[in-house]
Amino acid sequence: MIPLLDVAELQVKFPVARKIGFGPARPSFVHAVDDVSLTLQAGETVGLVGESGCGKSTLARTLCRLIDATSGSIQLEGRELSHVPIRRAAREPWRGDIQLVFQDALDAINPRMTAFQAIADPLKRLRGLKPGPELDRRVAEVAESCGVSAGLLGRFPHQLSGGQRARVGIARAIACRPKLLVLDEPTAALDVSVQVVILHLLAQLKRDLGMSYLFVSHDLNVVRMFCDRIVVMYLGKIVETGPAAELFANPRHPYTAALLAAIPSGIPGAAPPPVLEGEPKSPIDPSPTACRFAGRCPAEQPHCTTAAPPWVRVGHGHHALCHLVTGA
């Protein structure tokens, strides 16, 4: 069975000039996404987690073809997407099948467009609909499914509340009935009460439309409830992946364990979580023969700084990139 999304050995590097001493600057690269491979099945929700700067948003934008990959493969239902440069991607026939919901809808929606125009825009560009009754019907239908009332469609983004803007952003993304929806922290800029409403909306849309989600988030409690499978990134690499319930119950990579330990327990007098010492390494030309987590890992061994860790199967669908774990 061909997965909906199949990513293999994906790399995204950004060139930077690096000057050392008095010599000439030598070319260096920020390894934002480094040798990432993952799959996503039809109807599945995969959570992508990790601290700020680990490469989550870069990966999300690369999968949506908003950033060019340096190397590797991105296949959507067997169609290769990575070879299409971003200047052409917006006109490709598969463009409507993969859409992105941005973190801040106020920045993502054109301030000169009304809610109606924002939702209609992808229908005109990607589905070829012309202004008229059919376009009006489709926009009204999508808006209603996302809880955007008819009275809000004539308003501009600054005239909408945060929750209303989030709904318009989601409506715009699903207007073309995509098969894969990439959600880049869609609730991060919202009040907690509004977050719950938006998450319920996303769950309902997934059931109604049969979409798959790649859900990027810092909120591990939301990820645990919302996602079928979890992918953990650290400094451009995937360090652990597995079913949500198993990964939360039995994290095998030390970084995953530290992330989960930092979730507030809500228990008065509970012991504080362990603190990771040190700072993340630089993503500029990282050593290929060392673990990225070395220097912060509480269980670090001497060989962690001299050999790249192996990718180990630790359970059914559960893998970790670590010298310290044993295979299932």
Side-chain angles (χ1 to χ4, degrees):
M1 180 179 177
I2 298 177
L4 176 66
L5 179 70
D6 189 359
V7 181
E9 300 177 350
L10 187 68
Q11 291 195 335
V12 181
K13 301 178 184 178
F14 300 109
V16 294
R18 196 178 189 189
K19 188 175 178 63
I20 300 178
F22 296 99
R26 63 180 179 86
S28 296
F29 295 89
V30 174
H31 292 231
V33 175
D34 199 354
D35 197 27
V36 164
S37 297
L38 62 89
T39 59
L40 192 150
Q41 301 295 333
E44 187 178 29
T45 298
V46 173
L48 182 61
V49 303
E51 62 193 54
S52 296
C54 72
K56 303 187 303 298
S57 292
T58 300
L59 175 59
R61 284 162 170 72
T62 305
L63 298 181
C64 293
R65 304 306 297 113
L66 301 180
I67 297 175
D68 277 332
T70 304
S71 63
S73 172
I74 304 170
Q75 293 190 0
L76 185 69
E77 292 186 317
R79 294 170 295 181
E80 182 60 52
L81 310 186
S82 63
H83 298 158
V84 180
I86 56 175
R87 65 179 181 274
R88 281 178 37 209
R91 297 186 295 273
E92 290 294 307
W94 47 260
R95 175 72 270 177
D97 291 338
I98 178 169
Q99 292 289 294
L100 175 64
V101 175
F102 294 90
Q103 178 174 345
D104 190 344
L106 182 59
D107 291 336
I109 300 173
N110 189 329
R112 293 183 174 88
M113 284 186 173
T114 63
F116 178 93
Q117 292 169 328
I119 299 170
D121 192 50
L123 290 170
K124 293 190 290 186
R125 292 176 181 271
L126 304 178
R127 293 295 183 251
L129 294 183
K130 304 296 183 182
E134 177 61 16
L135 179 63
D136 294 347
R137 185 191 66 81
R138 290 284 296 274
V139 171
E141 181 182 90
V142 172
E144 183 181 2
S145 70
C146 293
V148 180
S149 65
L152 298 177
L153 291 176
R155 295 187 184 181
F156 291 92
H158 72 277
Q159 297 173 315
L160 302 172
S161 69
Q164 290 167 345
R165 285 194 295 266
R167 290 173 181 274
V168 172
I170 294 169
R172 180 182 61 175
I174 70 165
C176 294
R177 296 291 182 94
K179 297 176 181 178
L180 173 61
L181 194 62
V182 179
L183 301 149
D184 189 3
E185 302 191 52
T187 61
L190 304 175
D191 293 338
V192 174
S193 59
V194 181
Q195 288 182 20
V196 174
V197 175
I198 295 299
L199 290 172
H200 279 297
L201 170 62
L202 290 171
Q204 183 64 46
L205 290 172
K206 184 174 184 289
R207 289 192 295 268
D208 292 345
L209 303 179
M211 294 182 292
S212 299
Y213 288 162
L214 179 64
F215 190 84
V216 182
S217 180
H218 281 107
D219 193 327
L220 296 177
N221 281 322
V222 170
V223 169
R224 173 164 47 186
M225 294 184 296
F226 197 70
C227 299
D228 306 309
R229 193 156 49 90
I230 310 283
V231 174
V232 183
M233 285 189 73
Y234 182 80
L235 211 62
K237 279 190 171 292
I238 293 177
V239 296
E240 188 166 2
T241 180
E246 181 177 343
L247 188 141
F248 272 84
N250 186 28
R252 301 301 299 275
H253 194 281
Y255 176 66
T256 307
L259 277 182
L260 301 186
I263 300 175
S265 66
I267 302 174
V275 177
L276 293 178
E277 301 292 339
E279 296 290 332
K281 295 180 178 179
S282 171
I284 300 176
D285 296 335
S287 171
T289 58
C291 174
R292 298 284 170 88
F293 196 45
R296 299 182 77 193
C297 180
E300 182 178 326
Q301 301 295 318
H303 59 278
C304 295
T305 59
T306 59
W311 192 241
V312 182
R313 181 180 182 272
V314 295
H316 180 67
H318 190 179
H319 299 78
L321 188 74
C322 186
H323 287 294
L324 307 177
V325 299
T326 55

